Amino acid sequence: MKIVDAKVVVTSPGRNFVTLQVTTDDGVTGLGDATLNGRELAVVSYLRDHVAPLLIGRDPHRIEDAWQYLYRGAYWRRGPVTMAAIAAVDVALWDIKAKVAGLPLYQLLGGASRDRIRAYGHANGSSLPEIFDSVRALQERGYQAIRIQSGVPGLKSVYGVHTTTSVDGSAPDVLARPVVEDWDTAAYLRYIPRVFEAVRNEFGPDLPLLHDAHHRLSPIEAARLGKDLEPYDLFWLEDCTPAEDQEALRLVRQHTTTPLAIGEVFNTVFDYQTLIDDRLIDYVRSAVTHFGGVSPMKKLFDYAGQRGIKSAIHGPEDISPVGMAAALHLDLAVHNFGIQEYSGHTDLTNEVFRHAYTFDDGYLHPGEAPGIGVELDDELAAAHPYEPGYLPVNRLQDGSVHDW
Ligand code: GCO
Ligand code: MG
């Protein structure tokens, strides 16, 4: 069996997605997600100009060899662009192998370790009543674990609470350059514990609650937040400090028993070495799409499992249904599964990417279709071409840039 075609499809059914479609001489196709939010075209070029030509003529069954060839062979290793491109190849080849075997991918990863996959959804609001409504809406959709993000008094915009205008009121620039949001760490640290106190009072002790600090705090600020949130029994505090600095989590860990999760911007296992070896975290949160695919994620989970650390694959809207499907096969198979982030996609996105996975009563399942279980509608994808789009940036009151 040989690869005869490797095509990169960019589509924007509401937001941009980059998909690699690999075809074999037997006519089997495999899909991989390579979406890097706000930097999509860099990965498109990497794949189209530098990777696709190398795939033609290769045996699609040699997945590990293809991975090592693209990772070591390029000499320039790691980084989100490189690892998103390699991830797309890895997932597309797993999709092909599983289709040829006539099995859903999870069967090739050791088979199911569980019957269903618990998901968490995102609740948010700029006031407590808005947050409560948002939690109830998620509960009505079946969610049994919920991430809470809140507006902060005095701030116009906060991560996780929808923004379409810059703090100076300008909106139309949103496609050409990032929206500017504002940030004040002191105001946030004072307010967030009150939000969780109110949510616990309203929804009781049993509902698993999560919170994402989105890399905005210094180690000592994160330590304080972790301590202040202890009475409200969080499932985790996510990305409390900037992700480049593994040692930062050591300080946080020394001060709080609030469980810690990190990893959505990590690209390789080396970003986790200290964190896992020294048990500084409780959940590894990388995306299949940004971590080089299913192969390295499986190795990561096995490594993390040796320290009792669990999986929590990154699954926001900017991971395509292809990346989500790959995640779900891993979730079902690995023993040390923790939880899966799942916001779902728009109906149009689900038409472009028809998928076998399901969401019922707060639980996901990858389905039983051979491969990863996603089919791309090429014509519908082409009808929704790329649109420039960026993540926001944060500025403090004095005008300086802060982590977003
Ligand atoms: C999450 C993340 C996302 C990221 C987004 C960036 O926990 O889901 O923080 O919401 O901000 O994926 O592209
Ligand atoms: Mg996050």
Short mmCIF file of all heavy atoms in Angstrom, two decimals, residues 7 9-11 21 348 351-352 354 375-385:
data_model
loop_
_atom_site.label_atom_id
_atom_site.label_comp_id
_atom_site.label_asym_id
_atom_site.label_seq_id
_atom_site.Cartn_x
_atom_site.Cartn_y
_atom_site.Cartn_z
N LYS A 7 -3.58 16.05 0.58
CA LYS A 7 -4.19 17.34 0.24
C LYS A 7 -4.51 18.11 1.53
O LYS A 7 -4.97 17.52 2.51
CB LYS A 7 -5.50 17.02 -0.51
CG LYS A 7 -6.17 18.21 -1.15
CD LYS A 7 -7.33 17.77 -2.05
CE LYS A 7 -8.54 17.42 -1.23
NZ LYS A 7 -9.75 17.13 -1.98
N VAL A 9 -6.86 20.87 3.22
CA VAL A 9 -8.16 21.54 3.03
C VAL A 9 -8.32 22.59 4.12
O VAL A 9 -8.22 22.28 5.31
CB VAL A 9 -9.31 20.50 3.13
CG1 VAL A 9 -10.67 21.19 3.02
CG2 VAL A 9 -9.15 19.43 2.06
N VAL A 10 -8.54 23.83 3.72
CA VAL A 10 -8.81 24.91 4.68
C VAL A 10 -10.26 25.32 4.52
O VAL A 10 -10.70 25.62 3.41
CB VAL A 10 -7.92 26.14 4.43
CG1 VAL A 10 -8.08 27.14 5.57
CG2 VAL A 10 -6.47 25.72 4.29
N THR A 11 -11.01 25.30 5.60
CA THR A 11 -12.42 25.65 5.51
C THR A 11 -12.81 26.47 6.74
O THR A 11 -12.21 26.34 7.80
CB THR A 11 -13.31 24.39 5.39
OG1 THR A 11 -14.67 24.78 5.29
CG2 THR A 11 -13.14 23.46 6.57
N GLN A 21 -5.80 15.52 4.20
CA GLN A 21 -6.51 14.35 3.69
C GLN A 21 -5.49 13.51 2.92
O GLN A 21 -4.98 13.93 1.88
CB GLN A 21 -7.64 14.78 2.78
CG GLN A 21 -8.55 13.66 2.34
CD GLN A 21 -9.80 14.19 1.65
OE1 GLN A 21 -9.72 15.17 0.91
NE2 GLN A 21 -10.93 13.57 1.88
N LEU A 348 -23.28 23.68 11.11
CA LEU A 348 -22.61 23.72 9.82
C LEU A 348 -21.26 22.98 9.88
O LEU A 348 -20.92 22.21 8.97
CB LEU A 348 -22.40 25.19 9.38
CG LEU A 348 -21.77 25.38 8.01
CD1 LEU A 348 -22.59 24.72 6.91
CD2 LEU A 348 -21.61 26.89 7.71
N GLU A 351 -21.79 19.45 9.67
CA GLU A 351 -22.13 18.99 8.32
C GLU A 351 -20.87 18.85 7.46
O GLU A 351 -20.75 17.92 6.67
CB GLU A 351 -23.08 19.97 7.64
CG GLU A 351 -24.53 19.80 8.03
CD GLU A 351 -25.38 20.88 7.37
OE1 GLU A 351 -25.30 21.06 6.14
OE2 GLU A 351 -26.10 21.57 8.12
N VAL A 352 -19.95 19.80 7.62
CA VAL A 352 -18.69 19.71 6.85
C VAL A 352 -17.92 18.47 7.30
O VAL A 352 -17.34 17.76 6.47
CB VAL A 352 -17.84 21.00 7.05
CG1 VAL A 352 -16.46 20.83 6.42
CG2 VAL A 352 -18.55 22.21 6.46
N ARG A 354 -18.80 15.24 8.99
CA ARG A 354 -19.81 14.31 9.54
C ARG A 354 -19.10 13.29 10.43
O ARG A 354 -18.14 12.65 9.99
CB ARG A 354 -20.56 13.62 8.41
CG ARG A 354 -21.60 14.52 7.73
CD ARG A 354 -22.43 13.74 6.74
NE ARG A 354 -21.59 12.97 5.81
CZ ARG A 354 -21.11 13.46 4.67
NH1 ARG A 354 -21.39 14.69 4.30
NH2 ARG A 354 -20.35 12.71 3.89
N GLU A 375 -16.00 11.92 8.24
CA GLU A 375 -15.96 12.08 6.77
C GLU A 375 -16.04 13.56 6.45
O GLU A 375 -16.88 14.27 6.99
CB GLU A 375 -17.15 11.35 6.12
CG GLU A 375 -17.15 9.83 6.32
CD GLU A 375 -15.92 9.14 5.74
OE1 GLU A 375 -15.43 9.61 4.69
OE2 GLU A 375 -15.45 8.16 6.33
N LEU A 376 -15.17 14.00 5.55
CA LEU A 376 -15.14 15.41 5.16
C LEU A 376 -15.98 15.62 3.91
O LEU A 376 -15.81 14.91 2.91
CB LEU A 376 -13.68 15.81 4.89
CG LEU A 376 -13.43 17.23 4.38
CD1 LEU A 376 -13.74 18.27 5.45
CD2 LEU A 376 -11.97 17.39 3.95
N ASP A 377 -16.89 16.59 3.96
CA ASP A 377 -17.67 16.96 2.78
C ASP A 377 -16.88 18.03 2.02
O ASP A 377 -16.93 19.21 2.36
CB ASP A 377 -19.04 17.49 3.23
CG ASP A 377 -19.96 17.82 2.05
OD1 ASP A 377 -19.44 18.20 0.98
OD2 ASP A 377 -21.18 17.70 2.22
N ASP A 378 -16.14 17.60 0.98
CA ASP A 378 -15.22 18.52 0.27
C ASP A 378 -15.94 19.72 -0.32
O ASP A 378 -15.44 20.84 -0.26
CB ASP A 378 -14.52 17.79 -0.88
CG ASP A 378 -13.62 16.68 -0.39
OD1 ASP A 378 -12.46 16.96 -0.09
OD2 ASP A 378 -14.12 15.54 -0.28
N GLU A 379 -17.13 19.48 -0.90
CA GLU A 379 -17.83 20.59 -1.57
C GLU A 379 -18.30 21.63 -0.57
O GLU A 379 -18.14 22.83 -0.79
CB GLU A 379 -19.04 20.05 -2.34
CG GLU A 379 -18.65 19.54 -3.71
CD GLU A 379 -19.84 19.01 -4.48
OE1 GLU A 379 -20.97 19.46 -4.23
OE2 GLU A 379 -19.61 18.13 -5.32
N LEU A 380 -18.86 21.15 0.53
CA LEU A 380 -19.33 22.09 1.56
C LEU A 380 -18.13 22.84 2.17
O LEU A 380 -18.22 24.04 2.45
CB LEU A 380 -20.10 21.32 2.63
CG LEU A 380 -21.02 22.13 3.53
CD1 LEU A 380 -22.02 22.96 2.74
CD2 LEU A 380 -21.76 21.20 4.50
N ALA A 381 -17.03 22.12 2.35
CA ALA A 381 -15.81 22.76 2.89
C ALA A 381 -15.36 23.87 1.95
O ALA A 381 -15.06 24.99 2.38
CB ALA A 381 -14.70 21.73 3.06
N ALA A 382 -15.36 23.59 0.65
CA ALA A 382 -14.89 24.59 -0.34
C ALA A 382 -15.82 25.79 -0.40
O ALA A 382 -15.39 26.90 -0.73
CB ALA A 382 -14.78 23.93 -1.71
N ALA A 383 -17.09 25.58 -0.07
CA ALA A 383 -18.06 26.69 -0.11
C ALA A 383 -17.84 27.67 1.04
O ALA A 383 -18.46 28.74 1.09
CB ALA A 383 -19.48 26.14 -0.07
N HIS A 384 -16.99 27.30 2.01
CA HIS A 384 -16.73 28.18 3.17
C HIS A 384 -15.22 28.39 3.30
O HIS A 384 -14.56 27.76 4.13
CB HIS A 384 -17.31 27.55 4.44
CG HIS A 384 -18.79 27.39 4.36
ND1 HIS A 384 -19.67 28.43 4.58
CD2 HIS A 384 -19.55 26.33 3.99
CE1 HIS A 384 -20.90 28.01 4.40
NE2 HIS A 384 -20.85 26.74 4.04
N PRO A 385 -14.65 29.29 2.50
CA PRO A 385 -13.20 29.46 2.47
C PRO A 385 -12.64 30.17 3.70
O PRO A 385 -13.38 30.76 4.48
CB PRO A 385 -12.97 30.29 1.20
CG PRO A 385 -14.25 30.99 0.95
CD PRO A 385 -15.34 30.14 1.53
#
